[in-house]
Amino acid sequence: MHNFFSHEYITDRIIRVRDASFTAVYLVLGDHSAALIDTGIGIGSLRTYVEGTIGVNADVVILTHGHLDHANGAGEFSDVPIYLNPLDKALMRQHQDAKRQLTMVRQTHDYYHLDCPELKAEDVMDYLDPEATLPLEDEQEFDLGGVQLKAIHTPGHTMGMTMILIEGERFLLTGDGCGVGVLLVEDCCSTVSEYRQGLAKLEKYSSCYDHILRNHGTCVSSKELIPSVREVCEEILNGTDDRIPTSTVLESSSDVFQAKKTFPGTQNRVDGKQGNIIYALNKIR
Ligand SMILES: [Zn+2]
């Protein structure tokens, strides 16, 4: 089987693993336990890579949300406790679609101008029944020994979207909950108005982290990302954003817009600020 994975150390305790869709998952290593945060798109054996190549056995798996590129690799870890906010269970099941997984892997290779390896049916890992997940609750803590994880429920990108504060290491992992192009387009996601409230909740944790980790693209942002995206929410709600017609791979029943103008072919905002929101017109309030 082709190896679809690569990894790098962010700190002594945090390892980023990229999968076939270049989506990142993270291993956090404590003194007595290790956590795997997200499981990737489920193409190729993540478990073989994590245990065989990196040499880490995850004691707990936390899914930031139910999208295919974050949760479809969970089936391989069915003997490990797997946590997901229950609001994303239906979405997780809906995204268990091999055709969609393979399409995303091909599309991301195209995006990065890379040759896509030949994909075979056996590369698609078995799915996890979302009912087998344990409920991930807001402010739930996981003590790994010398490093603690805290779940922060921030509905927006999905209703169950949960960011993970990696206390001790001073990182906030936003998942797809905040980034250079937060997608608020699917019918099942929250409105911009609700998303703004979720981001406001992060305020009380702002002294607990110095850096932001994400799961796509460069995977890193400064902590200014959060207030900057809150500002974008305000602009959308006030109707003062750039409102540029666009499209995404996610399904939407309404017209889709990009809030802030970017340089062509990049996600860099022309005004030099960080963060952006792609939203459907029926997802404002
Ligand atoms: Zn997502």
Side-chain angles (χ1 to χ4, degrees), residues 64-70 91 95 157-158 161 175-177 183 186 216 250:
T64 59
H65 64 298
H67 276 158
L68 73 164
D69 48 337
H70 296 257
L91 180 67
H95 273 229
H157 178 67
T158 69
M161 183 75 231
D176 291 354
L183 293 166
E186 288 175 300
H216 295 286
L250 296 175

Side-chain angles (χ1 to χ4, degrees), residues 48-216:
T48 302
Y49 188 81
V50 166
E51 295 183 358
T53 304
I54 306 178
V56 173
N57 288 31
D59 301 288
V60 61
V61 174
I62 302 169
L63 301 174
T64 59
H65 64 298
H67 276 158
L68 73 164
D69 48 337
H70 296 257
N72 277 20
E76 282 199 288
F77 298 89
S78 57
D79 58 333
V80 175
I82 301 178
Y83 289 85
L84 172 75
N85 185 297
L87 294 173
D88 270 17
K89 279 189 194 176
L91 180 67
M92 181 175 171
R93 192 180 300 286
Q94 192 191 326
H95 273 229
Q96 292 178 339
D97 177 340
K99 198 173 157 203
R100 212 165 154 173
Q101 286 164 258
L102 296 170
T103 301
M104 185 170 173
V105 170
R106 290 190 188 105
Q107 283 176 341
T108 46
H109 278 80
D110 282 350
Y111 179 81
Y112 289 112
H113 305 290
L114 293 168
D115 290 333
C116 188
E118 191 190 342
L119 299 168
K120 304 191 181 97
E122 72 227 39
D123 293 325
V124 181
M125 298 289 107
D126 289 342
Y127 300 125
L128 180 79
D129 180 350
E131 292 306 323
T133 59
L134 300 167
L136 181 61
E137 287 161 16
D138 189 28
E139 301 202 332
Q140 188 167 347
E141 293 188 343
F142 299 85
D143 186 355
L144 308 177
V147 59
Q148 287 78 35
L149 306 179
K150 187 191 282 259
I152 308 170
H153 181 215
T154 44
H157 178 67
T158 69
M159 292 310 287
M161 183 75 231
T162 300
M163 297 188 189
I164 307 293
L165 187 64
I166 308 174
E167 291 181 286
E169 299 296 284
R170 300 191 60 78
F171 280 93
L172 176 69
L173 171 60
T174 61
D176 291 354
C178 195
V180 294
V182 184
L183 293 166
L184 303 181
V185 299
E186 288 175 300
D187 287 346
C188 62
C189 75
S190 82
T191 62
V192 174
S193 176
E194 291 163 329
Y195 177 51
R196 176 180 59 169
Q197 289 171 29
L199 290 181
K201 247 176 65 178
L202 289 169
E203 186 65 39
K204 73 171 176 177
Y205 301 107
S206 65
S207 62
C208 304
Y209 63 92
D210 300 320
H211 306 282
I212 285 175
L213 296 175
R214 300 183 282 103
N215 296 64
H216 295 286

